[in-house]
Amino acid sequence: AVKFSDTLQQFFGMLCAAVLLPYLSRNVHNFNILTWGIRLWGLAALYIPLATIVLVFSSTVIFLLFGGGYETSKEYLQYYLLGDLFRMCALFCSYTLISVDRFGRVLIFECLQGVIYVALYTYLPVSDEIAKVGYAYSLTYVICFCFMLAFVFSYFKRRSN
């Protein structure tokens, strides 16, 4: 599940760097929070069907990507797919902030990821190890997305004043 998640995020990162960042850099000054939000929801709308297909056919997808020996990763996959949705949305926020020269806020996101994950994994009162890892991963990116969304809202609010 971790390998799949990392592969997905590497692809998304390259897509962002090659396509999304130049697009945002050229156009973000023409967006308001609504038009920006429509693009964010569009990204989520592309991801959700893909994640659903991967989840439904998880055994086959895992076998095709990684071969035998990874059957147990199916149990983690649902958590990683959910967490990756919020991770992608947080990265969209990050690239938006990079395109408007708000690098410090992006650094906060980068630092928060590890700190929040370790704290959640350490202190979540969940006895099942798979669920604990999964909840920590998913919640980490929900929290990171909320922080990044607040930074983006702040940018658009200050810009409109």
Side-chain angles (χ1 to χ4, degrees):
V2 174
K3 283 178 123 183
F4 180 78
S5 176
D6 286 345
T7 303
L8 181 65
Q9 290 304 315
Q10 185 176 12
F11 170 77
F12 183 69
M14 291 302 296
L15 176 73
C16 284
V19 177
L20 188 60
L21 184 58
Y23 170 78
L24 286 171
S25 294
R26 282 191 312 272
N27 297 305
V28 76
H29 298 292
N30 299 325
F31 296 161
N32 59 36
I33 194 66
L34 180 63
T35 56
W36 178 87
I38 289 169
R39 283 156 179 81
L40 176 62
W41 283 111
L43 179 67
L46 290 173
Y47 176 80
I48 291 170
L50 172 67
T52 303
I53 291 168
V54 168
L55 192 58
V56 168
F57 298 105
S58 60
S59 296
T60 305
V61 170
I62 289 169
F63 179 78
L64 289 174
L65 289 175
F66 308 114
Y70 289 94
E71 294 84 17
T72 58
S73 66
K74 279 190 340 185
E75 298 173 40
Y76 292 97
L77 194 58
Q78 63 190 357
Y79 298 110
Y80 277 86
L81 289 172
L82 178 62
D84 283 348
L85 170 64
F86 289 99
R87 188 176 180 187
M88 265 187 357
C89 291
L91 283 171
F92 184 82
C93 294
S94 291
Y95 279 97
T96 300
L97 293 169
I98 288 170
S99 70
V100 294
D101 296 328
R102 301 292 194 272
F103 300 105
R105 289 161 182 85
V106 176
L107 287 174
I108 291 171
F109 167 66
E110 292 300 325
C111 295
L112 273 178
Q113 295 176 65
V115 171
I116 293 172
Y117 178 78
V118 170
L120 286 172
Y121 179 76
T122 303
Y123 297 110
L124 271 176
V126 178
S127 59
D128 178 67
E129 193 65 26
I130 292 172
K132 190 172 189 174
V133 168
Y135 287 140
Y137 184 83
S138 296
L139 289 172
T140 295
Y141 288 106
V142 167
I143 293 167
C144 286
F145 173 59
C146 289
F147 270 96
M148 297 309 291
L149 197 57
F151 290 146
V152 170
F153 283 162
S154 172
Y155 162 74
F156 279 111
K157 185 175 180 180
R158 269 191 262 131
R159 196 182 77 180
S160 69
N161 290 336

